[in-house]
Amino acid sequence: MNHRYSRRGLLGLTAAGMVPWLSAETQDADLVVFNANVYTVDSRTPKVEAFAVKSGRFVAVGTTADMKALIGKGTQTFDAKRMTIVPGFIDCHNHATGNVLLYEVLVGNPYVVEFVTIDSIIEKLRAKAAQTPPGTWVEGYFFDDTKVRDNRLLNVHDLDKVSKDHPVVVHHRGGHTSFYNSKALEMADINKNTPNPPGGTFDRDANGDLNGRVTDRATGAFNRVGKRATFTAEQTAQRDRDGLAYISKQFVRYGLSSVHHEGGNLFALQQVRARGELLHRVSYEASGKVLEAMIASGIESGFGDEWIRLGATSEHTVDGSFSERTMALSTPYPGVQPPYKGNITETQNDLNAWIERVHRAGIQVNCHANGDVAIDMVLTAVERAQRLFPRADTRPQITHCTLINDDLLRRIKAAGAVPAPFTSYAYYNTDKFHFYGEDLMKRSMAFRSFLDSGIQVAAGSDFSPGPFAPLMGIQGMVTRTGWNGETWGANQRISVEEALRINTINGAYNSHEEAIKGSITPGKLADFVVLADDPHTVDQAKIKDIEIVRTVTGGSTVYQA
Ligand SMILES: [Zn+2]
């Protein structure tokens, strides 16, 4: 396969010259796009006016006149009227929680900045409680503590207003903290004297009483209590299928043509594809039973095809969260008493063993590490595994890789590791960065530092924690200015061109797929996005508002405005 791609890649170099031996492959193209402002993200032909697609792949790029020569009887044409076209966007870290979006109570907006009130949250959950038998969980999703008009944290008293007979929980969209009512705390047998478990906390108010906020590993205490809605196997399968089909539509609406899924129902994913409802390509990142099955049966990363491929593992979590302020720092959180350095959720020994096992199995390692302490731990384990069992070009993924320093940069580069920092956060979460302060923000989501160190950094929205809109991500990476007008870590700004690379070809590199996608190059999969405006020239504060006119995967239009 690779030989074919690289041969076509060479053809691409000379495609504009219309050499005769090109014609067999390109004549009667399926689709010719012309009169466009195309950023190919291919340094050999960075800007072109037109390209041709056949059998789901780009077959030639060049001038409008050259490409029009490839129009045959059955060729579709698309006059882009000077609109901008870029390769399809690639998100390297996404929880793809389609069934939550479709079936659960959403107490915040998953996609854009929107403020809600605590009353609105109570209202929505009350309505849910009214149709839920007592003793069964009432759950809310997509809470964001800094997108609340009341300007304070949700607490146990708020949630007691929802119900005294149901256990009630509101999950922070970040996924590392949840808020419980008194009934839930009582059912889990948690009281003001309960000690914090390792790697988590039961938070207390000024009087030492439980305030309902529970972090990281401490939330495990609630898994064993209360009833949860149950579904038959067929109902569960149907919900998973519908959820995946639903989120696929949302992805392409925002220009994503490839997304790395953190686990999920692999069987349902294949069924959605078979029905023609999978509109984006999936790098499936396995955990649990699927990962164990891969190891047991000798299936390495890369197995699958260009629509569903087994990629790295799911993120193996080493520390807490950036947005919820539980990530593991080497210095205490500014202004927090008693001194708090975040949560480490894994011992070095356990991490060493896990990484060694996955690495030996030929599966791409992927760890969630936010704080500098956690990134150090991951690199220590990766370096150890490489010493014990050297393998070439493994590209260990460090998901988030938020807070770096010069020593970590050196070791990331040496290990050939591929970070996928938060993208939309620089726009969406500026309301949280004062918790860290400018000194730490200068070293956080450090796209400039990664590029300057020659590290293949990619984009990881971490949906649901972060919105997945790539243009929101690009705006934040370029401006480092958020919705509230605050700018943090301006030293980490990058250019639009660099942000585009990170969101396309570097994403392909992250899953070892740079030979088949990530740029508009003859031989590669015909995944591209038509934009109403050019992010290189539009006001940088409006990049996120550029309309996605069309998203195309494999030469087929999967979204049209
Ligand atoms: Zn994640």
Side-chain angles (χ1 to χ4, degrees):
M1 288 277 269
N2 278 331
H3 283 293
R4 207 164 119 238
Y5 298 138
S6 53
R7 190 170 66 83
R8 286 187 172 182
L10 279 174
L11 292 180
L13 268 177
T14 50
M18 291 306 297
V19 272
W21 40 264
L22 186 66
S23 51
E25 272 187 2
T26 53
Q27 273 307 338
D28 284 330
D30 296 335
L31 170 70
V32 166
V33 177
F34 58 89
N35 193 23
N37 174 35
V38 185
Y39 293 90
T40 64
V41 193
D42 181 336
S43 55
R44 295 167 300 183
T45 49
K47 283 210 66 184
V48 298
E49 287 180 320
F51 55 82
V53 172
K54 192 165 182 172
S55 305
R57 290 176 186 271
F58 298 114
V59 288
V61 298
T63 64
T64 290
D66 286 345
M67 293 304 108
K68 277 191 169 171
L70 304 177
I71 296 173
K73 268 198 212 109
T75 306
Q76 276 187 36
T77 58
F78 176 50
D79 178 353
K81 303 203 166 84
R82 300 309 300 156
M83 283 191 290
T84 294
I85 298 182
V86 299
F89 295 118
I90 300 177
D91 183 353
C92 292
H93 187 67
N94 196 305
H95 292 271
T97 45
N99 35 11
V100 172
L101 294 176
L102 201 51
Y103 294 112
E104 302 291 349
V105 177
L106 309 183
V107 300
N109 189 321
Y111 307 109
V112 295
V113 173
E114 182 190 329
F115 274 68
V116 302
T117 61
I118 288 177
D119 278 346
S120 77
I121 296 172
I122 294 170
E123 198 89 344
K124 283 184 179 176
L125 293 173
R126 264 192 191 149
K128 178 75 177 178
Q131 332 154 354
T132 306
T136 298
W137 283 93
V138 172
E139 303 188 71
Y141 291 83
F142 281 93
F143 175 68
D144 184 338
D145 64 298
T146 54
K147 306 291 184 299
V148 178
R149 279 222 180 86
D150 311 61
N151 205 17
R152 64 168 177 85
L153 276 185
L154 195 60
N155 63 43
V156 65
H157 310 294
D158 299 320
L159 297 180
D160 283 346
K161 289 186 198 160
V162 174
S163 173
K164 298 226 147 116
D165 307 321
H166 301 81
V168 177
V169 58
V170 169
H171 301 289
H172 197 288
R173 69 178 297 163
H176 292 252
T177 58
S178 296
F179 300 79
Y180 296 89
N181 71 343
S182 297
K183 181 75 180 176
L185 291 163
E186 179 199 307
M187 288 170 85
D189 208 14
I190 309 298
N191 59 56
K192 61 189 289 189
N193 302 317
T194 308
N196 289 332
T201 60
F202 302 109
D203 289 3
R204 288 142 225 269
D205 64 19
N207 303 322
D209 293 321
L210 294 171
N211 64 14
R213 182 176 186 257
V214 178
T215 73
D216 286 307
R217 287 207 150 181
T219 57
F222 299 88
N223 294 341
R224 296 179 291 274
V225 302
K227 293 194 206 94
R228 288 180 167 79
T230 52
F231 303 102
T232 65
E234 184 38 45
Q235 283 170 328
T236 302
Q238 175 249 314
R239 286 165 65 97
D240 287 348
R241 283 193 302 268
D242 291 355
L244 283 163
Y246 179 79
I247 204 166
S248 191
K249 279 189 201 153
Q250 308 308 315
F251 287 153
V252 297
R253 187 158 75 88
Y254 284 93
L256 286 165
S257 59
S258 291
V259 177
H260 293 205
H261 285 216
E262 293 303 293
N265 187 333
L266 184 56
F267 185 60
L269 191 60
Q270 293 169 84
Q271 291 180 311
V272 171
R273 178 198 181 172
R275 292 178 183 197
E277 292 175 16
L278 186 65
L279 309 177
H280 69 286
R281 303 179 193 280
V282 177
S283 179
Y284 183 90
E285 301 190 331
S287 63
K289 273 192 291 188
V290 182
L291 179 60
E292 287 308 317
M294 284 174 70
I295 295 173
S297 39
I299 295 177
E300 300 189 322
S301 294
F303 193 86
D305 67 9
E306 65 223 29
W307 281 99
I308 303 174
R309 191 187 300 273
L310 297 173
T313 66
S314 248
E315 60 179 333
H316 184 82
T317 302
V318 180
D319 73 339
S321 147
F322 180 38
S323 65
E324 295 156 277
R325 287 87 70 192
T326 65
M327 73 182 193
L329 304 180
S330 56
T331 53
Y333 276 71
V336 176
Q337 284 306 329
Y340 173 64
K341 292 167 118 181
N343 299 339
I344 286 284
T345 57
E346 178 75 308
T347 66
Q348 185 72 56
N349 278 344
D350 287 352
L351 183 61
N352 288 350
W354 184 83
I355 287 189
E356 183 188 338
R357 182 160 176 261
V358 170
H359 171 82
R360 280 183 186 269
I363 296 169
Q364 193 180 359
V365 163
N366 178 12
C367 289
H368 157 121
N370 269 306
D372 51 354
V373 174
I375 299 168
D376 169 87
M377 287 174 68
V378 172
L379 289 167
T380 298
V382 162
E383 290 156 359
R384 175 184 172 276
Q386 273 293 359
R387 266 196 313 275
L388 292 174
F389 192 72
R391 291 183 92 102
D393 200 23
T394 52
R395 305 182 194 177
Q397 291 183 13
I398 307 180
T399 289
H400 313 318
C401 203
T402 302
L403 179 69
I404 50 86
N405 56 45
D406 289 345
D407 182 52
L408 293 176
L409 285 172
R410 235 182 344 265
R411 290 167 67 198
I412 290 166
K413 170 74 179 163
V418 286
F422 296 107
T423 49
S424 54
Y425 274 26
Y427 173 81
Y428 182 83
N429 269 335
T430 39
D431 43 29
K432 297 183 177 75
F433 297 158
H434 62 97
F435 291 108
Y436 292 101
E438 177 67 3
D439 275 356
L440 293 185
M441 289 312 300
K442 279 184 169 154
R443 297 191 278 121
S444 293
M445 308 181 298
F447 286 103
R448 177 81 270 146
S449 301
F450 287 127
L451 290 179
D452 291 348
S453 305
I455 292 163
Q456 297 272 4
V457 61
S461 72
D462 198 27
F463 187 78
S464 44
F468 53 67
L471 290 174
M472 182 196 284
I474 289 173
Q475 177 170 322
M477 292 153 88
V478 168
T479 63
R480 296 285 286 203
T481 300
W483 65 269
N484 59 0
E486 291 178 15
T487 301
W488 293 91
N491 60 310
Q492 294 295 346
R493 281 179 182 147
I494 58 174
S495 68
V496 171
E497 194 190 332
E498 289 166 331
L500 196 55
R501 288 187 68 82
I502 287 169
N503 281 276
T504 57
I505 190 74
N506 286 14
Y509 184 89
N510 190 279
S511 56
H512 290 88
E513 292 177 284
E514 71 276 16
I516 60 163
K517 65 189 186 189
S519 65
I520 296 177
T521 301
K524 286 196 183 183
L525 299 165
D527 300 347
F528 62 91
V529 189
V530 183
L531 305 174
D533 240 315
D534 183 347
H536 298 77
T537 54
V538 80
D539 174 358
Q540 291 189 338
K542 299 206 165 105
I543 293 175
K544 71 172 193 343
D545 304 320
I546 296 175
E547 187 190 15
I548 307 282
V549 177
R550 195 187 274 239
T551 302
V552 177
T553 47
S556 301
T557 297
V558 288
Y559 169 75
Q560 206 163 349

